[in-house]
């Protein structure tokens, strides 16, 4: 096997591992290991900069006299993509032709599609192994508090309705039970109206939920808010019932 070990990983990673974290860029993305030439190093770094932002990437790659298969740098850089950002507390390790991906995901339903996506990127002679799991215990507590209910707002605004406030009071209790875990609040809309306005409204509503929970003494450092607009529907937008289901707030344990 070639003596080439670049990688992506979190700061707690061991030597020669490329690890990563997607939680609010709270920790830098450290890329370390040995590559055969400067061109390969820049190829990998440029893709990491595009994916995570240059300000969030720490370069610890060394150029040394190591042997790598043809196209090795391109094969590695293909695996640094937006799907990689879905994995938390993770590690992508590339040792010669062996590719290992491990970490946590927020949604059980994302594990198989993510694994399949990376398998499709790994062609012979490379071998791929994934060990992905979900933050089951903490996410279950949050899901139980929400109980598939819709956090409602006044029509066309980010002002919480009375029913929405009641749900968030219960959510505050649940968030205290998950022991300070970071949680992303995600706002969604239906597809009615202007897409840009929907995106803005979803962000405003996610922010409103975040601010309400902070007012209930939830640590602001554990909460982030993101608006998705109508980009991720869970029901048919052509029916009133479907549109109502799509106008929702989700909570994702990171």
């Amino acid at each position: 096997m070639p003596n080439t070990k670049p990688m992506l990983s979190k700061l707690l990673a061991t030597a020669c591992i490329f690890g990563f974290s997607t939680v609010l860029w709270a920790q830098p993305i450290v890329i370390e290991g040995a590559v055969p030439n400067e061109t390969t190093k820049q190829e990998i770094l440029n893709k990491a900069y595009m994916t995570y932002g240059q300000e969030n990437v720490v370069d610890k790659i060394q150029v040394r006299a190591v042997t790598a298969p043809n196209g090795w740098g391109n094969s590695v850089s293909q695996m640094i993509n937006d799907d990689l950002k879905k994995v938390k507390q993770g590690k992508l390790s590339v040792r010669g032709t062996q590719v290992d991906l491990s970490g946590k995901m927020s949604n059980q339903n994302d594990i198989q599609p993510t694994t399949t996506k990376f398998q499709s990127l790994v062609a012979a002679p490379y071998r791929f192994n994934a060990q992905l799991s979900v933050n089951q215990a903490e996410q279950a507590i949050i899901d139980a508090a929400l109980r598939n209910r819709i956090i409602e707002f006044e029509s066309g605004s980010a002002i919480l309705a009375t029913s929405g406030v009641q749900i968030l009071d219960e959510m505050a209790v649940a968030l205290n039970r998950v022991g300070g875990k970071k949680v992303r609040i995600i706002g969604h809309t239906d597809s009615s109206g202007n897409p840009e306005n929907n995106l803005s409204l979803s962000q405003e509503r996610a922010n409103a939920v975040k601010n309400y929970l902070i007012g209930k003494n939830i640590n602001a450092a554990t909460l982030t808010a993101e608006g998705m607009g109508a980009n991720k529907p869970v029901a048919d937008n052509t029916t009133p019932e479907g549109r109502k289901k799509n106008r929702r707030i989700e909570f994702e344990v990171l």
Side-chain angles (χ1 to χ4, degrees):
M1 178 176 291
N3 183 26
T4 307
K5 302 180 181 179
M7 324 158 345
L8 317 178
S9 147
K10 227 172 156 182
L11 276 177
L12 50 80
T14 57
C16 294
I17 299 260
F18 171 35
F20 54 90
S21 170
T22 62
V23 182
L24 297 179
W25 312 122
Q27 299 190 8
I29 311 307
V30 179
I31 308 180
E32 56 186 2
V35 297
N37 53 58
E38 189 67 31
T39 299
T40 300
K41 173 179 176 176
Q42 288 304 316
E43 186 175 15
I44 294 171
L45 281 177
N46 288 341
K47 190 61 179 297
Y49 294 158
M50 289 175 59
T51 303
Y52 292 99
Q54 185 169 351
E55 68 277 10
N56 302 305
V57 175
V58 177
D59 169 22
K60 291 190 176 183
I61 299 177
Q62 300 178 28
V63 177
R64 296 210 304 259
V66 294
T67 302
N70 290 334
W72 185 87
N74 180 62
S75 297
V76 172
S77 63
Q78 283 190 64
M79 288 178 275
I80 307 171
N81 55 51
D82 286 341
D83 287 296
L84 196 60
K85 294 162 68 175
K86 297 178 182 178
V87 183
K88 285 79 177 177
Q89 304 167 18
K91 181 187 301 179
L92 174 66
S93 171
V94 185
R95 293 182 174 88
T97 57
Q98 179 63 45
V99 181
D100 296 303
L101 176 63
S102 62
K104 298 287 187 180
M105 302 196 74
S106 299
N107 191 327
Q108 180 72 38
N109 294 329
D110 286 338
I111 292 179
Q112 187 55 51
T114 300
T115 300
T116 301
K117 175 67 177 292
F118 278 95
Q119 285 175 333
S120 72
L121 296 174
V122 177
Y126 295 91
R127 300 180 304 276
F128 178 75
N129 178 61
Q131 293 184 333
L132 300 173
S133 58
V134 70
N135 288 316
Q136 291 181 329
E138 294 87 354
Q139 189 67 53
I141 291 172
I142 299 301
D143 291 344
L146 191 59
R147 300 201 304 275
N148 293 319
R149 292 176 294 176
I150 302 294
I151 296 173
E152 295 185 340
F153 297 80
E154 292 187 11
S155 179
S157 80
I159 299 174
L160 285 159
T162 301
S163 61
V165 169
Q166 293 172 345
I167 295 173
L168 291 181
D169 287 342
E170 296 176 34
M171 184 59 67
V173 175
L175 288 170
N176 280 318
R177 290 180 58 200
V178 301
K181 284 281 188 178
K182 293 183 182 295
V183 174
R184 178 163 54 200
I185 301 162
I186 309 169
H188 301 270
T189 68
D190 61 34
S191 61
S192 302
N194 182 281
E196 291 184 2
N197 291 342
N198 286 337
L199 186 62
S200 177
L201 179 60
S202 66
Q203 183 67 59
E204 291 171 3
R205 287 180 169 179
N207 289 338
V209 169
K210 175 184 174 181
N211 291 334
Y212 183 85
L213 291 171
I214 292 172
K216 301 295 287 187
N217 296 318
I218 302 300
N219 185 353
T222 66
L223 301 176
T224 58
E226 180 178 2
M228 298 297 294
N231 294 321
K232 291 195 174 181
V234 293
D236 187 352
N237 271 308
T238 64
T239 68
E241 182 180 352
R243 289 192 293 273
K244 182 177 180 179
K245 290 180 179 179
N246 288 331
R247 297 190 296 268
R248 68 197 191 280
I249 295 288
E250 294 178 330
F251 297 84
E252 181 179 72
V253 178
L254 301 173

